[in-house]
């Protein structure tokens, strides 16, 4: 014979579609939101699938299956977090949607209580009330953790890609490479250059790097200083540097700073530097 907890579990799963329908019917029109009443059929089907898992997870907790709930909780959190990150849904919208469904969920438990009033005692009601709230809180806590971790991983991947794009060391033959520096150089980008470029040269076994500055839009004291420091780091690694695209203002800035580029070959253009290197390095 089934316990009252088991019967509640069955009741909630049997009414899962109705609960989801009610939840979806309460959506507002919000352009660009996965929770919008204007969401397309694919987004709605995704919400339905995820909400069925929400219902099952909470019902499992209320039925006393603590171990099974832990498994479902993690599965739900990772599934929803990945989906919301992919749709660029802010976390407060997820919280609002979950809170709306919590009310619907409890109203269905209340309906079950009314339909089985003669068999349910006060202790059951109190246990289900506190259990449901605790389960929703645990779901959202696990979701927040998963959302944060996945967001951090995504940001790190994007940062790595940006750094790679911003420091494109191009290998042109067995030992030589080109670093075309394009756009402004601020403090953050300078730090990336000094960290990523030497590492990339080592990975590619480059022993002579041509640093082309013709695409740098603004030349100031910081740019000259950072380029000098980059060449010194490369030198310590046994990598020769050649600066190209050197315009008069760069030379003047370097002189005013007292930066000594005399030990580094400099050329007005990359083409000129490569032609001469081809002759001297054979």
């Amino acid at each position: 014979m089934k316990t009252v907890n088991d019967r509640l579990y069955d009741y909630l799963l049997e009414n899962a579609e109705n609960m989801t329908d009610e939840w979806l019917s309460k959506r507002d029109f919000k352009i660009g939101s996965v929770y919008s009443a204007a969401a397309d059929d694919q987004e709605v089907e995704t919400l339905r699938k995820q909400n069925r898992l929400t219902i099952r997870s909470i019902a499992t907790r209320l039925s006393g299956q603590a171990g099974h709930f832990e498994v479902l909780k993690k599965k739900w959190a990772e599934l929803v977090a990945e989906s919301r990150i992919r749709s660029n849904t802010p976390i407060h919208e997820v919280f609002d949607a979950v809170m709306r469904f919590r009310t619907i969920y409890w109203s269905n438990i209340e309906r079950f209580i009314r339909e089985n009033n003669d068999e349910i005692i006060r202790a059951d009601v109190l246990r289900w009330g506190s259990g449901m709230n605790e389960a929703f809180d645990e779901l959202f806590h696990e979701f927040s953790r998963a959302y944060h971790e996945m967001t951090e991983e995504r940001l790190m991947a994007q940062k790595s890609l940006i750094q790679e794009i911003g420091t494109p060391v191009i290998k042109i033959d067995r030992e030589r490479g080109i670093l075309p520096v394009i756009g402004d150089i601020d403090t953050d980008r300078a730090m990336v250059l000094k960290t990523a470029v030497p590492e990339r040269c080592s990975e590619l076994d480059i022993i002579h790097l041509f640093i082309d500055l013709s695409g740098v839009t603004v030349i100031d004291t910081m740019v000259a200083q950072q380029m000098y420091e980059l060449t010194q780091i490369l030198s310590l690694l046994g990598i020769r540097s050649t600066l190209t695209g050197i315009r008069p203002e760069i030379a003047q800035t370097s002189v005013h700073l007292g930066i000594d580029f005399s030990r580094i070959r400099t050329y007005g253009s990359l083409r000129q530097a490569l032609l001469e290197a081809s002759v001297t390095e054979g």
Side-chain angles (χ1 to χ4, degrees), residues 1-273:
M1 183 176 180
K2 289 187 177 181
T3 66
V4 68
N5 285 342
D6 293 333
R7 289 168 58 195
L8 174 62
Y9 176 87
D10 292 341
Y11 179 87
L12 292 170
L13 294 190
E14 288 168 4
N15 286 276
E17 289 304 313
N18 291 333
M19 293 166 69
T20 300
D21 286 341
E22 182 179 356
W23 177 58
L24 292 173
S25 71
K26 296 182 181 299
R27 292 174 298 164
D28 297 323
F29 284 91
K30 187 174 183 179
I31 302 300
S33 173
V34 68
Y35 295 113
S36 173
D40 61 35
D41 291 343
Q42 184 176 354
E43 290 175 325
V44 171
E45 182 54 37
T46 297
L47 290 176
R48 285 187 176 279
K49 178 181 178 182
Q50 294 170 353
N51 204 54
R52 283 194 290 269
L53 183 56
T54 307
I55 294 168
R56 183 184 170 201
S57 300
I58 303 296
T60 299
R61 169 66 181 272
L62 296 178
S63 68
Q65 305 175 57
H68 193 196
F69 171 71
E70 290 299 317
V71 174
L72 291 177
K73 177 177 71 174
K74 185 174 182 180
K75 179 181 178 180
W76 179 88
E78 292 178 351
L79 177 68
V80 176
E82 182 180 5
S83 176
R84 298 303 174 270
I85 291 172
R86 189 166 55 248
S87 62
N88 293 316
T89 303
I91 200 167
H92 72 268
E93 286 191 18
V94 183
F95 183 82
D96 291 342
V98 171
M99 291 304 98
R100 285 197 301 272
F101 188 65
R102 186 199 294 242
T103 301
I104 295 171
Y105 206 101
W106 178 246
S107 68
N108 277 264
I109 294 176
E110 288 181 325
R111 188 176 299 115
F112 175 81
I113 293 171
R114 288 194 299 271
E115 293 175 3
N116 300 273
N117 188 52
D118 56 339
E119 303 174 49
I120 296 172
I121 61 176
R122 184 172 180 272
D124 293 327
V125 177
L126 294 175
R127 183 177 65 256
W128 292 335
S130 62
M132 186 204 74
N133 287 323
E134 289 173 2
F136 268 104
D137 290 344
E138 288 185 40
L139 280 182
F140 201 77
H141 181 272
E142 187 68 17
F143 163 81
S144 300
R145 181 197 61 76
Y147 191 97
H148 173 73
E149 290 181 357
M150 291 180 185
T151 300
E152 286 295 304
E153 290 176 2
R154 190 182 190 189
L155 289 174
M156 289 302 295
Q158 291 174 343
K159 183 178 180 181
S160 177
L161 177 60
I162 290 170
Q163 289 182 354
E164 184 175 345
I165 294 173
T167 55
V169 177
I170 304 166
K171 193 169 186 179
I172 56 175
D173 59 26
R174 189 168 59 88
E175 297 180 338
R176 297 181 299 179
I178 300 171
L179 171 65
V181 184
I182 301 171
D184 295 339
I185 300 178
D186 57 16
T187 303
D188 290 337
R189 189 180 181 195
M191 289 300 297
V192 171
L193 284 169
K194 290 191 292 185
T195 302
V197 171
E199 291 179 357
R200 187 62 175 157
C201 288
S202 296
E203 291 172 2
L204 296 174
D205 294 323
I206 290 173
I207 62 174
H208 188 176
L209 181 67
F210 296 83
I211 304 172
D212 183 44
L213 302 177
S214 59
V216 178
T217 55
V218 178
I219 302 294
D220 58 14
T221 56
M222 191 275 288
V223 173
Q225 181 66 42
Q226 297 299 335
M227 288 303 99
Y228 177 76
E229 291 179 7
L230 173 59
T231 62
Q232 296 306 296
I233 293 171
L234 291 171
S235 178
L236 290 173
L237 296 173
I239 301 170
R240 283 185 294 146
S241 301
T242 295
L243 293 178
T244 68
I246 303 297
R247 297 195 297 275
E249 60 266 32
I250 299 180
Q252 292 173 7
T253 298
S254 302
V255 171
H256 289 316
L257 283 174
I259 298 175
D260 182 12
F261 281 112
S262 61
R263 297 182 182 180
I264 303 170
R265 287 182 176 271
T266 60
Y267 293 87
S269 71
L270 177 61
R271 181 175 180 277
Q272 179 187 3

